[in-house]
Amino acid sequence: MFELPPLPYPMDALEPYISENTMSFHYGKHHKAYVDNLNKLVKDTEFENMPLEDVVKNTAGRKEFSGIFNNAAQAWNHAFFWNSMQKNGGGEPTGELKKKIERDFGSYENFRAEFKNAATGQFGSGWAWLVEKDGKLSVMKTANADTPIAYGYKPLITVDVWEHAYYLDYQNRRPDFVDAFLDHLVRWN
């Protein structure tokens, strides 16, 4: 059975940028529901004993398994999102990652603008990602449950732009939520 992974910090650790109230709904209800639904959907199937990432990769693009994919990918995306943040995070990365960002985007400011545009320009629900493939960094956005691991990309960070990720704290101000993520929450290490 798949399990809801523990948060890497207390529920109130990301305040004031993400409230404990938002975390209780987002993690405690939304993420948990994906895990619970996935367990029901994979029971007695070939996916029942696979690692979560393998379930995502083996169901991606297969219409007959879209329910399994959606729940598996959302469970994976959310676990990755929680680990993309930390208390007192944000700002520019350092070290090798900063060098790669400067190499592939020209500057941190260019990366930041491209990432924010992907996050705020995602119509409806989805995700913005910093990914790596073949040694090159890029920004991508995915809709709904879609995820870069289904396409062979290595995710480095993500921000969830489904409304449940920010609406209690930011209402319809998605750009403010993305700014808070980049300036105060992102976990570069």
Side-chain angles (χ1 to χ4, degrees), residues 3-85:
E3 294 182 4
L4 182 66
L7 283 173
Y9 34 72
M11 289 275 248
D12 64 351
L14 304 180
E15 289 187 343
Y17 308 106
I18 298 178
S19 68
E20 182 174 4
N21 189 36
T22 291
M23 291 298 294
S24 70
F25 281 98
H26 194 179
Y27 170 76
K29 298 200 183 302
H30 286 276
H31 190 177
K32 183 178 184 316
Y34 295 126
V35 173
D36 292 346
N37 289 336
L38 178 61
N39 281 321
K40 291 174 192 165
L41 291 168
V42 299
K43 186 167 177 44
D44 300 324
T45 72
E46 64 191 279
F47 309 109
E48 187 172 25
N49 295 309
M50 279 186 189
L52 182 59
E53 191 167 324
D54 291 345
V55 174
V56 172
K57 290 175 180 178
N58 284 290
T59 58
R62 298 175 69 186
K63 195 177 232 179
E64 70 273 26
F65 297 121
S66 63
I68 292 173
F69 173 80
N70 287 334
N71 285 278
Q74 282 293 77
W76 193 93
N77 288 351
H78 278 85
F80 193 84
F81 175 55
W82 307 133
N83 285 287
S84 291
M85 297 183 290

Side-chain angles (χ1 to χ4, degrees), residues 60-153:
R62 298 175 69 186
K63 195 177 232 179
E64 70 273 26
F65 297 121
S66 63
I68 292 173
F69 173 80
N70 287 334
N71 285 278
Q74 282 293 77
W76 193 93
N77 288 351
H78 278 85
F80 193 84
F81 175 55
W82 307 133
N83 285 287
S84 291
M85 297 183 290
Q86 67 181 25
K87 183 179 181 75
N88 300 318
E92 291 189 36
T94 58
E96 191 62 31
L97 182 56
K98 182 175 183 173
K99 289 177 189 172
K100 286 182 177 184
I101 285 174
E102 289 171 345
R103 178 195 70 201
D104 295 337
F105 295 96
S107 68
Y108 172 76
E109 292 76 21
N110 290 345
F111 155 74
R112 190 185 191 292
E114 190 173 329
F115 187 86
K116 185 174 179 181
N117 285 339
T120 58
Q122 172 58 43
F123 182 76
S125 300
W127 304 82
W129 307 83
L130 173 63
V131 296
E132 183 177 32
K133 188 168 186 178
D134 301 326
K136 181 167 175 34
L137 301 182
S138 60
V139 168
M140 69 186 299
K141 60 184 176 178
T142 58
N144 300 318
D146 209 1
T147 181
I149 64 171
Y151 307 99
Y153 287 88

